[in-house]
Amino acid sequence: SLMGYPQLSGMSTSSDLDDTQKAPLFGRTIPSDAGTAQVVVQYLTQTLRVQHLVVIHTNDSFGNAYASRLRDAAAELAVSGGNGNSHTNNDNDDQQQQVQQQ
């Protein structure tokens, strides 16, 4: 906490901030990454009938965390994504991760 003051954000979506032990006075006015990832995967599977999903994202804390949330949501909804291997392109620091049913 910031000197005991509550913190409210309309832009911070990291699911790491959901940990009330680390951020006991933090709140947000928008859904976390976990919430949006679940909705995205539901839309892809239920509306568009997607059965396989590959996530291409930036290899940084935001991109990796969101890809992880997408992977978790896809696993819950039984969406396959190949063998789950990752490939890193060192030229532009982008990473491709295949989302796999766990």
Side-chain angles (χ1 to χ4, degrees):
S1 66
L2 181 65
M3 297 169 44
Y5 291 98
Q7 301 160 48
L8 186 62
S9 174
M11 306 252 328
S12 299
T13 60
S14 173
S15 298
D16 292 340
L17 295 170
D18 292 339
D19 185 343
T20 57
Q21 295 297 318
K22 292 181 181 176
L25 299 176
F26 177 80
R28 62 171 61 92
T29 60
I30 58 174
S32 70
D33 292 339
T36 59
Q38 184 75 25
V39 172
V40 166
V41 173
Q42 284 177 343
Y43 175 76
L44 291 171
T45 58
Q46 295 171 5
T47 303
L48 300 180
R49 304 287 184 213
V50 170
Q51 296 179 2
H52 306 281
L53 179 63
V54 175
V55 177
I56 300 173
H57 63 89
T58 305
N59 188 16
D60 62 12
S61 60
F62 178 77
N64 293 333
Y66 194 67
S68 177
R69 301 302 179 258
L70 285 169
R71 185 181 312 108
D72 294 344
E76 288 178 25
L77 295 170
V79 177
S80 67
N83 59 13
N85 291 336
S86 297
H87 170 72
T88 300
N89 181 343
N90 293 326
D91 293 335
N92 61 8
D93 208 21
D94 283 346
Q95 184 176 43
Q96 173 183 339
Q97 289 188 329
Q98 295 184 341
V99 178
Q100 176 179 341
Q101 176 182 348
Q102 295 181 357

